[in-house]
Amino acid sequence: LQVWRSCLVECLATGAFVFASILIIVSCSQQSASPMTSISVLHFLVISFLILSVAPSSGGHLNPCITFMAMVLGYVSPSRVVMYTGAQCIGSIFGSLCMKLVLPHEVAHKFALGGCTIRNSAGAGFPVGSAFVAETFFTFFLMFIVATLALDPFRAPVFGAILAPTFIAAAVGVLVFVSGGLALGYSGAGMNPARCIGPAVVMGSHNEELWRGHWLWWVAPYFATVLVAVVYCLVPPHHVDIYRGRKDFISSLKKAFGSHHPQVPSETRISSENLTP
């Protein structure tokens, strides 16, 4: 029952995020000739508020890649990953459908319902290879911050339940800002498969550019997430503890092979735990 409740929270939160995201993109694009600053700042605020609101109930993933990363690091089970991903995609479709009902048809068609596009209807945009590389590195940057600040057992208590979501939302805002102006017709970094599938499903065949290369918005983020997991497992951020453990291991080897050293009086002995790494 707890898992189903968490899935419901993820569904509603993702729906609210997609609804707000589309509204931000359409509103800012119509009001300003250079909307990326406003879009990135507003995304930062919306994501921060949503994660802080729903994190106690479901973890506040709002992204299948974050859920997958949590499974790789041992926080959630594979079955929960499947359920969360389905809930996030359903929430995205629901939020996109609600936004389509709010917007006039010509506005929704003009802005492709704020969806993820590689090229526009005129053919301007990124080649598939360039878009794949860009999406991989943008998602890698975001997932690396998620893994090292929010999911790492050593550093998560340091940043706490407020700073970690704030930094993650700030990273999303920065990446949205720097990627949004790379090429005309390119919507910018998606970094979230659920965010991209909602507008594509709701608009259907009315906006073919949403389905052109849609696989990229799934394959590239998951590929980047796997890369982050490999890097995190090979070079964990808590390297000081690794060095300390290595030192203890060497000391135990010396004791095992009978290496003796003059005893230091207890008054002058310094504990290794008091040394600053």
Side-chain angles (χ1 to χ4, degrees):
L1 183 60
Q2 181 184 1
V3 177
W4 286 105
R5 288 173 177 171
S6 299
C7 289
L8 178 61
V9 172
E10 281 290 312
C11 178
L12 296 177
T14 307
F17 162 63
V18 173
F19 183 92
S21 176
I22 298 173
L23 181 62
I24 290 170
I25 293 173
V26 174
S27 298
C28 294
S29 299
Q30 292 191 110
Q31 296 175 12
S32 174
S34 302
M36 291 313 303
T37 301
S38 302
I39 290 175
S40 60
V41 172
L42 292 175
H43 270 84
F44 159 68
L45 294 175
V46 168
I47 294 174
S48 297
F49 295 154
L50 282 174
I51 296 179
L52 291 172
S53 299
V54 303
S57 302
S58 66
H61 295 180
L62 311 179
N63 188 335
C65 291
I66 295 179
T67 306
F68 181 78
M69 175 66 70
M71 181 197 70
V72 173
L73 299 183
Y75 289 99
V76 300
S77 64
S79 59
R80 185 181 288 247
V81 171
V82 175
M83 296 172 68
Y84 267 31
T85 302
Q88 291 157 355
C89 292
I90 293 173
S92 176
I93 296 172
F94 177 72
S96 301
L97 180 61
C98 292
M99 198 65 237
K100 185 182 179 183
L101 297 176
V102 172
L103 293 175
H105 176 73
E106 58 274 10
V107 175
H109 181 76
K110 176 182 178 180
F111 294 101
L113 204 62
C116 305
T117 59
I118 302 174
R119 300 184 187 129
N120 57 19
S121 57
F126 264 178
V128 174
S130 300
F132 184 88
V133 174
E135 183 69 11
T136 298
F137 276 93
F138 288 137
T139 309
F140 181 92
F141 184 84
L142 175 63
M143 290 299 111
F144 191 79
I145 293 177
V146 171
T148 55
L149 296 188
L151 299 179
D152 182 74
F154 290 85
R155 305 185 72 190
V158 176
F159 288 91
I162 296 178
L163 284 180
T166 303
F167 286 148
I168 292 171
V172 173
V174 170
L175 294 172
V176 168
F177 176 78
V178 300
S179 64
L182 288 178
L184 180 65
Y186 174 61
S187 62
M191 303 175 289
N192 186 340
R195 168 65 181 84
C196 297
I197 196 173
V201 170
V202 171
M203 293 302 293
S205 59
H206 296 288
N207 285 86
E208 295 182 359
E209 58 266 26
L210 289 172
W211 288 106
R212 187 182 294 117
H214 182 76
W215 61 269
L216 182 146
W217 307 109
W218 286 85
V219 176
Y222 275 105
F223 177 66
T225 304
V226 171
L227 290 180
V228 172
V230 172
V231 172
Y232 179 88
C233 293
L234 293 179
V235 190
H238 39 86
H239 60 279
V240 174
D241 298 273
I242 294 178
Y243 294 151
R244 188 172 297 155
R246 188 181 303 168
K247 182 178 179 181
D248 295 338
F249 176 71
I250 295 175
S251 300
S252 63
L253 284 180
K254 289 181 178 180
K255 291 180 180 180
F257 286 97
S259 177
H260 300 287
H261 298 280
Q263 293 293 327
V264 179
S266 58
E267 295 81 7
T268 61
R269 193 172 301 153
I270 301 176
S271 174
S272 61
E273 295 181 354
N274 296 328
L275 296 177
T276 303

